[in-house]
Amino acid sequence: QVQLVESGGGLVQAGGSLRLSCAVSGVSFSLCATGWFRQAPGKERETVASISRFGGNSYYADSVKGRFTISRDNAKNTVYLQMNSLKPEDTAVYYCATTDYVAAGYTGPSPSVYKYWGQGTQVTVSS
């Protein structure tokens, strides 16, 4: 059974930082492209960032470029999202997702390609 468990969300003031973690089990993590997505109330789920199997390629939404950094540790089966200079518009539930048997350089920027999803963690940025 594939499980993804996110942690690290919370309440932070604008300009602050948070680091999200997602521990993945039940799948060969090094075969997986992995990403972070978010969904704010009344809005569609959107891609925040995604990363290829060995971390060589990454994708960022324009809204987070220069502020967020995605990384992964295949030895720990974990993907991270470092979020700096947070803004109130970053407030959302953040989800981790992964999908296996992809090419080594594939970043999977679209939510529709991901098979396995976590339950999400709330990030709230106050002004």
Side-chain angles (χ1 to χ4, degrees):
Q1 182 180 0
V2 180
Q3 288 190 317
L4 292 84
V5 179
E6 301 101 334
S7 60
L11 173 64
V12 64
Q13 288 188 330
S17 298
L18 284 173
R19 188 192 195 205
L20 304 184
S21 299
C22 174
V24 181
S25 61
V27 68
S28 296
F29 190 59
S30 64
L31 296 180
C32 297
T34 306
W36 287 97
F37 307 84
R38 67 187 181 187
Q39 188 165 17
K43 295 188 177 182
E44 292 187 355
R45 189 171 297 188
E46 62 175 355
T47 304
V48 175
S50 58
I51 190 166
S52 58
R53 288 168 51 187
F54 301 103
N57 294 331
S58 57
Y59 166 86
Y60 293 94
D62 287 343
S63 58
V64 307
K65 281 181 182 176
R67 300 189 297 124
F68 291 11
T69 302
I70 189 171
S71 61
R72 64 189 292 161
D73 185 339
N74 284 359
K76 296 182 178 180
N77 286 6
T78 301
V79 62
Y80 305 97
L81 185 68
Q82 178 66 45
M83 305 187 293
N84 299 328
S85 303
L86 282 160
K87 304 175 181 180
E89 51 263 44
D90 294 319
T91 295
V93 177
Y94 283 70
Y95 298 90
C96 171
T98 196
T99 193
D100 53 3
Y101 297 105
V102 298
Y106 182 70
T107 56
S110 171
S112 63
V113 305
Y114 287 84
K115 293 181 189 177
Y116 312 111
W117 290 81
Q119 293 300 306
T121 185
Q122 177 70 45
V123 172
T124 302
V125 184
S126 63
S127 57

